[in-house]
Amino acid sequence: MNSERNMGEQLISQLRTFQARRKFANSEFELRGLMPSDSDLCTRLDELFFNCSQALIELIEQNYSLSQRKKYLKAYLKSVERKSLDTEEAEFVAEVFFELAQIVDVDIKYLLNSWLYGNLMGSLIKFSSYFRKPELVIDTLRQPCSSCLAALETVVLARNTDVPDAVFLIVRCNACGGFNLVDHGPGIAEMRFINYTSVEQLEKSEYDAERAMRRLEQLKYFRK
């Protein structure tokens, strides 16, 4: 009983330390090599994580299960509208959620993947370098960025013939910020992006190659 109480006290102490930190201060963006986001957005995100960690503290004080902690994390994650954030902001938010989940010993990798990339891509993409283990690379797909010719690489870590050819990806080159259309094809069960980030996924049930290219041009025009 004492060991459980001590563990709970340690978790609460870590959560209070997490609470006290300004997670979206300008200095935190600068450490990531990013321009700070709008101050109102940063304030809202800091308040959301304060409230989420407070809810977790109360759960731990009442000895609620891990499944209850996960339920609360999922609810707070869903309260953040992914489409209102750009890619860097969304990845930042996901990493802070991951940090909080680690503190309370809850696995939300799939939830974070799905929130970041959509349900279909969420099961295929590794969320973060925090989970990296020695990787067996079985293939590397490459295409040049249409703006700067930097190599956009997709590292294939696992294949499965049952995985369908389901989506086009609109991606942003990390080198120049240019938008590109990527088509990985079928059979990729696990992959990792190199030198680019996913911006939008277009399901092939709704988009053929021509429509996907038109959508790409729209993004290029409206996000100049």
Side-chain angles (χ1 to χ4, degrees):
M1 182 67 70
N2 286 336
S3 62
E4 290 181 4
R5 183 180 300 112
N6 290 339
M7 185 177 298
E9 290 173 353
Q10 290 174 7
L11 288 179
I12 290 172
S13 176
Q14 292 178 57
L15 286 169
R16 294 205 185 282
T17 300
F18 173 90
Q19 263 187 335
R21 193 178 88 239
R22 286 189 61 209
K23 289 160 281 295
F24 297 91
N26 287 356
S27 57
E28 295 296 325
F29 283 90
E30 291 164 2
L31 284 172
R32 298 168 65 91
L34 302 174
M35 291 292 292
S37 294
D38 177 78
S39 59
D40 287 342
L41 172 63
C42 295
T43 298
R44 291 198 304 272
L45 289 172
D46 271 323
E47 289 176 351
L48 177 136
F49 279 103
F50 182 92
N51 293 336
C52 183
S53 52
Q54 182 61 40
L56 290 169
I57 287 171
E58 293 170 5
L59 287 178
I60 291 167
E61 288 175 338
Q62 298 172 51
N63 294 317
Y64 274 83
S65 64
L66 291 177
S67 63
Q68 284 292 322
R69 300 177 197 176
K70 185 172 185 176
K71 180 180 177 181
Y72 272 63
L73 283 165
K74 181 179 180 180
Y76 275 94
L77 176 62
K78 289 181 68 175
S79 74
V80 183
E81 187 178 356
R82 168 65 181 88
K83 292 181 179 179
S84 69
L85 307 175
D86 65 27
T87 301
E88 287 85 1
E89 289 168 341
E91 289 176 347
F92 195 173
V93 168
E95 288 187 17
V96 178
F97 266 112
F98 176 68
E99 178 186 354
L100 184 54
Q102 278 198 309
I103 293 173
V104 296
D105 196 28
V106 173
D107 183 355
I108 61 168
K109 293 190 292 294
Y110 177 75
L111 293 175
L112 291 173
N113 278 332
S114 298
W115 181 78
L116 271 173
Y117 304 113
N119 290 331
L120 184 60
M121 295 301 296
S123 62
L124 304 180
I125 301 170
K126 287 192 163 185
F127 160 66
S128 165
S129 60
Y130 290 116
F131 318 131
R132 279 187 199 155
K133 54 189 178 183
E135 295 174 336
L136 177 61
V137 177
I138 62 175
D139 196 4
T140 301
L141 309 178
R142 296 181 179 88
Q143 73 179 64
C145 171
S146 60
S147 299
C148 71
L149 300 182
L152 307 178
E153 296 188 355
T154 305
V155 174
V156 179
L157 303 173
R159 286 192 178 275
N160 186 325
T161 56
D162 292 332
V163 177
D165 183 10
V167 297
F168 295 104
L169 286 185
I170 294 178
V171 307
R172 182 161 59 185
C173 173
N174 291 348
C176 72
F179 292 98
N180 294 262
L181 188 68
V182 174
D183 183 5
H184 294 118
I188 299 178
E190 188 175 342
M191 60 186 164
R192 181 160 55 85
F193 301 155
I194 305 295
N195 200 33
Y196 71 90
T197 53
S198 174
V199 175
E200 191 171 313
Q201 65 177 29
L202 308 176
E203 295 193 15
K204 290 186 175 180
S205 59
E206 300 178 12
Y207 288 83
D208 58 16
E210 183 178 349
R211 288 192 65 202
M213 286 299 299
R214 286 204 299 268
R215 178 58 183 155
L216 173 65
E217 293 304 318
Q218 288 174 349
L219 282 180
K220 287 181 177 179
Y221 179 79
F222 288 110
R223 297 200 185 186
K224 284 182 181 179

